Amino acid sequence: MLHLQDDLLIGRGTERNCYRHPQDPTRCVKIAHNFKNNKQQNRKDYEYFTKLERRGIDWSHLPRCHGWVETNLGDGLVFDLLQDTEGSPLPRLDILLADGRLTMAEIATPLTQLHDYLHANRIFTSDLRASNIVCNLEKTPPRLFLIDGIGDRDFVKLAAHSRRLGRTKIERQWGRFMKRLENLQAQSK
C-alpha cells in the first residue's frame, strides 16, 4: 500500500487529487476526493486508456496509464508524471497564458500539432480545456500534453466506430476549446 501525504500533492481537480508517486518520481497517482458527486473518473480513464493501449496509439501528447494501486486514501490510478528536467511537474497552459509566459502566437504551432495528433490517433476528449493541458517549455516549439479530460463519454459511441463521425466529433470539441482559449487570452490582457 502506498502512503500519500499532503507534501506529495501536485494538483487538485473537481473530483480527483493528483499526488507524486512516493516510490517512483516519474509517476503520479490520481485519487478520487469528491465522493458526493463522484463520476467514477478514474474508472472511466482506466477503461479509455486501456482501449488506447490496445489500439497501439502514439503516446507523444499523452501520459501513459500504469493501472491501479492501493493507497491510504483509497484506490488510485497511476500515470506518467510529465515534468521538466529539474523534476518539477510541467506547468498548465491556462496559467502560462494568464500570467503572460506564453502568447497565442507562441503556441500556434503546438496547438496545430496537438490538433493533428488527436485526429491521427482518433482520441476523444470529454473536457478539452487549457487547465487540462500542460506545456513543456524546454522544447522549441513548446510541446503540449493532455493530462486530463480524455475519453469518449457518449452513451452510444458511434464516433469511435466511424472515421467520419470521429473527425466531426474531434472538430466540434476542438472548436469549443479554441473559443475558451481565445476568451482566456482576452481576459489576461
Side-chain angles (χ1 to χ4, degrees):
M1 177 186 287
L2 292 180
H3 188 73
L4 301 177
Q5 305 173 136
D6 287 346
D7 64 330
L8 297 171
L9 186 65
I10 298 168
R12 185 172 178 85
T14 306
E15 185 179 329
R16 299 181 292 182
N17 287 337
C18 183
Y19 294 87
R20 186 179 291 268
H21 194 295
Q23 298 170 354
D24 185 347
T26 66
R27 296 191 177 169
C28 63
V29 182
K30 293 184 179 182
I31 303 283
H33 69 78
N34 184 350
F35 297 103
K36 185 176 181 182
N37 296 315
N38 193 326
K39 296 179 181 153
Q40 300 293 315
Q41 194 63 46
N42 270 351
R43 181 187 55 78
K44 291 175 184 176
D45 277 1
Y46 180 73
E47 290 170 2
Y48 193 69
F49 275 79
T50 299
K51 287 178 185 174
L52 295 177
E53 189 74 46
R54 279 193 304 254
R55 283 181 25 214
I57 68 149
D58 162 19
W59 293 94
S60 61
H61 291 274
L62 286 178
R64 282 189 117 109
C65 178
H66 299 282
W68 296 97
V69 65
E70 187 179 339
T71 79
N72 60 308
L73 302 174
D75 291 338
L77 196 55
V78 179
F79 290 89
D80 289 334
L81 175 57
L82 303 174
Q83 49 195 333
D84 62 22
T85 54
E86 303 287 317
S88 297
L90 294 179
R92 291 184 356 212
L93 182 59
D94 61 330
I95 294 170
L96 293 170
L97 289 169
D99 69 14
R101 284 189 277 167
L102 276 181
T103 64
M104 290 296 287
E106 292 170 315
I107 61 166
T109 297
L111 284 171
T112 299
Q113 291 169 344
L114 182 60
H115 177 259
D116 294 347
Y117 169 82
L118 293 174
H119 276 296
N121 292 280
R122 283 194 21 239
I123 295 172
F124 303 124
T125 58
S126 59
D127 191 20
L128 185 57
R129 51 183 76 238
S131 59
N132 289 333
I133 297 173
V134 294
C135 184
N136 186 343
L137 297 171
E138 296 172 336
K139 302 281 185 188
T140 305
R143 185 174 203 97
L144 302 177
F145 299 89
L146 284 165
I147 58 165
D148 209 358
I150 302 154
D152 187 357
R153 303 299 187 253
D154 291 347
F155 182 71
V156 179
K157 298 179 179 358
L158 294 175
H161 302 289
S162 163
R163 287 213 177 270
R164 185 178 59 79
L165 292 176
R167 289 192 67 76
T168 301
K169 180 175 181 166
I170 290 169
E171 283 306 309
R172 186 176 62 249
Q173 293 169 336
W174 191 263
R176 280 188 236 137
F177 166 64
M178 290 304 293
K179 285 181 183 168
R180 284 188 205 116
L181 210 53
E182 290 164 9
N183 290 339
L184 179 66
Q185 183 71 28
Q187 291 170 2
S188 67
K189 289 182 180 180

